Amino acid sequence: MVELVGKGIYLLQGQVILEDADKLEIEEVNHRLSYEGLEPILASSIEREKARTGTIAYQILTRHNTTDDRQNLRLRFDALTSHDITYVGIVQTACASGLKEFPVPYVLTNCHNSLCAVGGTINEDDHVFGFSAARKYGGIFVPTHQAVIHQYMREMMARCGNMILGSDSHTRYGALGTMAIGEGGGEIAKQLLKRTYDIAYPEVIGVYLEGCPRLGVGPQDVALAIIKAVFKNGFVKNKVMEFVGPGISNLTVDFRNGVDVMTTETTCLSSIWRTDEQVQEYYQIHGRSEAYSKLEPAEVSYYDGLVKVDLSRIEPMIALPFHPSNGWTISELNQNAVDILHQVEVEGRIQIDNPKIHFQLMDKLVGGRLKVEQAVVAGCAGGTFENIVAMAQILGQKSLGDFSLSVYPSSQPVFLELMNNRSIEKLTIAGASIRSAFCGPCFGAGDVPANNALSIRHTTRNFMNREGSKPDNGQLSSVALMDARSIAATALNGGILTPATEVEMLPSTLAYNFNREVYDNRIYQGFGNPHPEEELVFGPNIIPWPTMRSLPENLLLKVATVIHDPVTTTDELIPSGETSSFRSNPMRLAEFTLSRKDPAYVGRAKAIQEMELKRQQLLTDDKGIEAIKEIFLTVLEKEQTPEQLQQFIKDTGLGSVIFAVKPGDGSAREQAASCQKVLGGDANVAIEYATKRYRSNLINWGMVPFTIDEKDQCKFAVDDLLYIPAIRQAVKDGAERVEAYIVNANGKVTIELKIENLSKDERDIILAGCLINYYAK
């Protein structure tokens, strides 16, 4: 199904693959082209570096680069987008840094906390704040239930050759010719302040599609097959996935969008696809013909690796808990259910690491087949027009009985057309619940299953507790990801896992008509028309960020948690679900930090933070040194005079640090870092960071993203002290390694901490203590 080529390749005229070489001889190239029935290339020779410039990614990245340096990019985006979990903090950060008006279209959507079901008025207060910000600074405001963030951006904002930055990890519009990147809120704030997004030029991986999917195979099946092949080996991590090959023409645009949005789960940086007449028609349907242009690689293009996908061999897939990469074909699961489910149970219990919680899947076997209790199709991945039409065709008006199925169309225009062609009628009569455009099932705020239940979903993620359960309350349910077609087939079979290839269905032939009146009558279009005289409207839960100190001369950090899991998700660092309602209240939200992974973390972090607050008082008042000097004496080997000790204490900041092997997989939510900072966190230590966006979030909140050699991870234990002398000078000087000391009851151990690949601006942000401080200066 999916083949990986772990070395560079040349692609000729978008179709012919040749192996890596420093230089290709033109005779060999034209001989191969002639064999394939293609026109010859007029050139004397083909060099690798020249061919690198032939990718679509190169064309777009260099056009958005604001400097002449093609290796270290400083990008400006054409549009920005955020949802109601993130835009309050972004606007506050930008305001504190001198924001006057939005310099590019900034879309504020309301699709995450739109139910307004937790915390009284606080969610709707955020929405009122967002609307006031759109009016004051000239933004685009999409009210609740109108569209999920990425569907609106596809319909109204994508444009061939453009770049969009969003504060949501699934910001992906590559199938529409737009390179899009999901990042933390700090990067959005930088763009609002006319700063740049700084990255080294990324490697570009070709994703070569050939063949045609079988009837019953959907976009989620293709996506899960790719994710399974590339996630664990980091094949595309922080790289651009460029979709090429003849198979693209065999996919509808809705199908392409469904594959594209899931590329986030590969940990790639971004994605881009070649465009064709189908994309042109998409823009015509949406009344934006001018947004189309043909994008394709040059006659010769070079890729740093290749993912080769034979679409005709893709089978219906299922991703079992607790990650989209834990993929199996449904047929192999049905044939080997006992062995596979037992393996998943064992791995899951290790990951949960909680003797009070019993994770089980084997109890869901009925006659040797897996039986699920609930199904959901929702959001930017599942709730698209063609997915829901296919479900209606499979189900017809047949009764679902006691099986629970919820369907969330991704936008009101999609919902309207599904009503017009009677798909909604069919699903409703069958017994499905039709909901509004809402991302809740994707992050644990909608259709939460019962304890010990298994839900199958066409959504983006199935991380632990992503569906809304709370292990600290003794609750655990789980999610398996599937395509909408096989979900409908399973629903038709009473919850017994069934691939769509085993049920009768017809190819979807229903045309889509986009009615823009839905948006014209409801959405506020304020770009280019700010009202600076108006005031932002603050609800009682919208709290400013607390004051954060700059990086001290030395750091003395308490190890507040140690996580040896292979990967730590942002959901584990700060839970999703109902906690998102407190995202506008930094102190309140911080109480949830690591609550589902290490409930004692907050108490440990607060204890050292209280000592730091006492230390800061010494900067203006010398009294109180006796109460805190003991912790500093543990790292001092030589006897100090009172004056020397006092100076050392004034120069040495106290804080907390977490160690995790590979933290930050998943969401772009900056709160995974900011909550640590609010609790006095100064650094993370890792073997590597799962995503660039999490590392960027650490930096933007003034936390040092240390890495260490794998052999040193065993040196860390909870409550150890990590002493890093002269850290401020090291960061200022551009040092990439610092000597530090782990101190505990057994003595002092030296350890080398790495701070590699930090730009000058990133170092300055860390020195300032956070992005807000940096801009305030």
Side-chain angles (χ1 to χ4, degrees), residues 170 452 498 539 633 728:
H170 291 98
N452 195 41
T498 304
L633 291 173
R728 183 176 182 85

Side-chain angles (χ1 to χ4, degrees), residues 387-521:
N387 285 340
I388 298 174
V389 166
M391 294 181 71
Q393 290 180 339
I394 292 171
L395 286 170
Q397 298 178 5
K398 302 178 184 71
S399 172
L400 294 176
D402 60 0
F403 185 76
S404 171
L405 172 62
S406 298
V407 179
Y408 296 70
S410 55
S411 71
Q412 285 293 82
V414 168
F415 180 70
L416 177 62
E417 187 64 6
L418 290 167
M419 286 195 295
N420 290 339
N421 66 32
R422 306 187 72 174
S423 294
I424 292 295
E425 177 184 328
K426 291 178 182 178
L427 291 169
T428 302
I429 293 174
S433 296
I434 309 300
R435 312 294 178 84
S436 62
F438 177 44
C439 297
C442 295
F443 72 100
D447 280 303
V448 179
N451 182 57
N452 195 41
L454 176 65
S455 177
I456 51 173
R457 302 187 173 193
H458 192 154
T459 55
T460 55
R461 290 203 173 113
N462 62 335
F463 293 171
M464 191 185 307
N465 312 308
R466 185 82 177 186
E467 79 305 319
S469 60
K470 298 180 181 179
D472 44 321
N473 291 348
Q475 306 167 5
L476 183 71
S477 53
S478 51
V479 164
L481 299 182
M482 287 170 50
D483 187 82
R485 292 150 190 79
S486 290
I487 287 175
T490 299
L492 194 64
N493 202 11
I496 299 295
L497 190 66
T498 304
T501 49
E502 293 184 3
V503 300
E504 288 187 18
M505 64 179 298
L506 297 172
S508 174
T509 57
L510 296 178
Y512 179 67
N513 298 290
F514 177 75
N515 189 333
R516 183 169 176 154
E517 286 184 79
V518 179
Y519 289 157
D520 290 341
N521 292 334

